[in-house]
Amino acid sequence: MYRGKRVKPATIHKKTLWLMVSLALLLTVTVGGTIAFLIQETGELENEFQLEEIATKVVIENDEVSIQNTSDTRAAYIRAKVIANWVKEENGVPVAIYGSAPKAGEDYSFTLFGPESAWEEYEGTFYYCQPVQANASTAVLLSGLTVHTEAPEEGYTLAVEVLAQAIQADGTDSKDNKPIARAWGVDIANGTVSAANNE
């Protein structure tokens, strides 16, 4: 009976085996040590984002009202509303508003900006049609407030408030819309205000 050739199984020499085990241990120690080093040496990182605050301040000087951009670095567009009410106060704090508002031109009057001013009225809101630089003010919005009639009820006086807002003048979003168009729905170009054409 023929049994064929006998093939001797391959053997790994002890030196080769020890060399492979040593290399595996060396790689394990090296990789582990590197990871440990990175974990120990890399501290916790904090992202610090500081948002630019763009705000306004209503300035009254010599019976003239203008609005200041109180931002430290950014130019802004400014808009304002003028609201009049008969108000009752106690100890300098408003406690009641009369049911019907006073009428402009009848109960009170003031002088609005002139035709050469950058102010423009659009849908009941006054827009300053030029960017106002940081810490600068608009031209005069109104002046010379005069009350023509008595309050409708004892204890009430006329209160005229100027409410102002500002938004950064520069920048656009990914669709090329200006901040003023996105936030206020208007566009200012060539010294006039109009409805924005947002995409």
Side-chain angles (χ1 to χ4, degrees), residues 2-10:
Y2 178 72
R3 295 192 180 195
K5 286 186 182 181
R6 295 191 99 199
V7 179
K8 193 174 183 186

mmCIF file of all heavy atoms in Angstrom, residues 2-10:
data_model
loop_
_atom_site.group_PDB
_atom_site.id
_atom_site.type_symbol
_atom_site.label_atom_id
_atom_site.label_comp_id
_atom_site.label_asym_id
_atom_site.label_seq_id
_atom_site.Cartn_x
_atom_site.Cartn_y
_atom_site.Cartn_z
ATOM 1 N N TYR A 2 0.525 2.158 -0.900
ATOM 2 C CA TYR A 2 1.331 3.368 -1.049
ATOM 3 C C TYR A 2 0.765 4.465 -0.188
ATOM 4 O O TYR A 2 -0.426 4.758 -0.234
ATOM 5 C CB TYR A 2 1.344 3.779 -2.525
ATOM 6 C CG TYR A 2 2.125 5.058 -2.751
ATOM 7 C CD1 TYR A 2 3.514 5.050 -2.659
ATOM 8 C CD2 TYR A 2 1.485 6.243 -3.048
ATOM 9 C CE1 TYR A 2 4.218 6.210 -2.868
ATOM 10 C CE2 TYR A 2 2.188 7.393 -3.258
ATOM 11 C CZ TYR A 2 3.559 7.374 -3.165
ATOM 12 O OH TYR A 2 4.254 8.521 -3.360
ATOM 13 N N ARG A 3 1.601 5.056 0.596
ATOM 14 C CA ARG A 3 1.139 6.095 1.496
ATOM 15 C C ARG A 3 1.562 7.488 1.048
ATOM 16 O O ARG A 3 1.209 8.457 1.692
ATOM 17 C CB ARG A 3 1.686 5.843 2.885
ATOM 18 C CG ARG A 3 1.121 4.566 3.427
ATOM 19 C CD ARG A 3 1.421 4.466 4.842
ATOM 20 N NE ARG A 3 0.852 3.233 5.318
ATOM 21 C CZ ARG A 3 0.676 2.941 6.534
ATOM 22 N NH1 ARG A 3 1.006 3.781 7.449
ATOM 23 N NH2 ARG A 3 0.161 1.802 6.873
ATOM 24 N N GLY A 4 2.216 7.658 0.045
ATOM 25 C CA GLY A 4 2.666 8.964 -0.456
ATOM 26 C C GLY A 4 3.800 9.525 0.369
ATOM 27 O O GLY A 4 4.286 8.898 1.299
ATOM 28 N N LYS A 5 4.207 10.762 -0.020
ATOM 29 C CA LYS A 5 5.302 11.420 0.684
ATOM 30 C C LYS A 5 4.809 11.981 1.992
ATOM 31 O O LYS A 5 3.712 12.477 2.090
ATOM 32 C CB LYS A 5 5.866 12.570 -0.135
ATOM 33 C CG LYS A 5 6.699 12.130 -1.298
ATOM 34 C CD LYS A 5 7.289 13.363 -1.901
ATOM 35 C CE LYS A 5 8.103 13.060 -3.112
ATOM 36 N NZ LYS A 5 8.689 14.227 -3.664
ATOM 37 N N ARG A 6 5.625 11.936 2.913
ATOM 38 C CA ARG A 6 5.306 12.540 4.197
ATOM 39 C C ARG A 6 5.818 13.964 4.210
ATOM 40 O O ARG A 6 6.981 14.219 3.926
ATOM 41 C CB ARG A 6 5.964 11.764 5.326
ATOM 42 C CG ARG A 6 5.396 10.379 5.431
ATOM 43 C CD ARG A 6 5.827 9.729 6.666
ATOM 44 N NE ARG A 6 4.761 9.862 7.621
ATOM 45 C CZ ARG A 6 4.894 9.728 8.909
ATOM 46 N NH1 ARG A 6 6.030 9.458 9.427
ATOM 47 N NH2 ARG A 6 3.877 9.838 9.690
ATOM 48 N N VAL A 7 4.907 14.913 4.484
ATOM 49 C CA VAL A 7 5.308 16.319 4.543
ATOM 50 C C VAL A 7 5.402 16.710 5.993
ATOM 51 O O VAL A 7 4.472 16.490 6.772
ATOM 52 C CB VAL A 7 4.283 17.211 3.827
ATOM 53 C CG1 VAL A 7 4.678 18.656 3.912
ATOM 54 C CG2 VAL A 7 4.130 16.777 2.392
ATOM 55 N N LYS A 8 6.485 17.298 6.298
ATOM 56 C CA LYS A 8 6.737 17.697 7.677
ATOM 57 C C LYS A 8 5.983 19.012 7.938
ATOM 58 O O LYS A 8 6.077 19.953 7.148
ATOM 59 C CB LYS A 8 8.239 17.881 7.850
ATOM 60 C CG LYS A 8 8.663 17.995 9.262
ATOM 61 C CD LYS A 8 10.167 18.016 9.322
ATOM 62 C CE LYS A 8 10.644 18.058 10.720
ATOM 63 N NZ LYS A 8 12.066 18.206 10.832
ATOM 64 N N PRO A 9 5.164 19.090 8.958
ATOM 65 C CA PRO A 9 4.433 20.340 9.239
ATOM 66 C C PRO A 9 5.418 21.484 9.485
ATOM 67 O O PRO A 9 6.486 21.301 10.036
ATOM 68 C CB PRO A 9 3.616 20.030 10.475
ATOM 69 C CG PRO A 9 4.193 18.789 11.057
ATOM 70 C CD PRO A 9 4.944 18.091 9.970
ATOM 71 N N ALA A 10 4.961 22.711 9.051
ATOM 72 C CA ALA A 10 5.818 23.893 9.219
ATOM 73 C C ALA A 10 5.912 24.221 10.694
ATOM 74 O O ALA A 10 4.945 24.144 11.430
ATOM 75 C CB ALA A 10 5.226 25.069 8.462
#
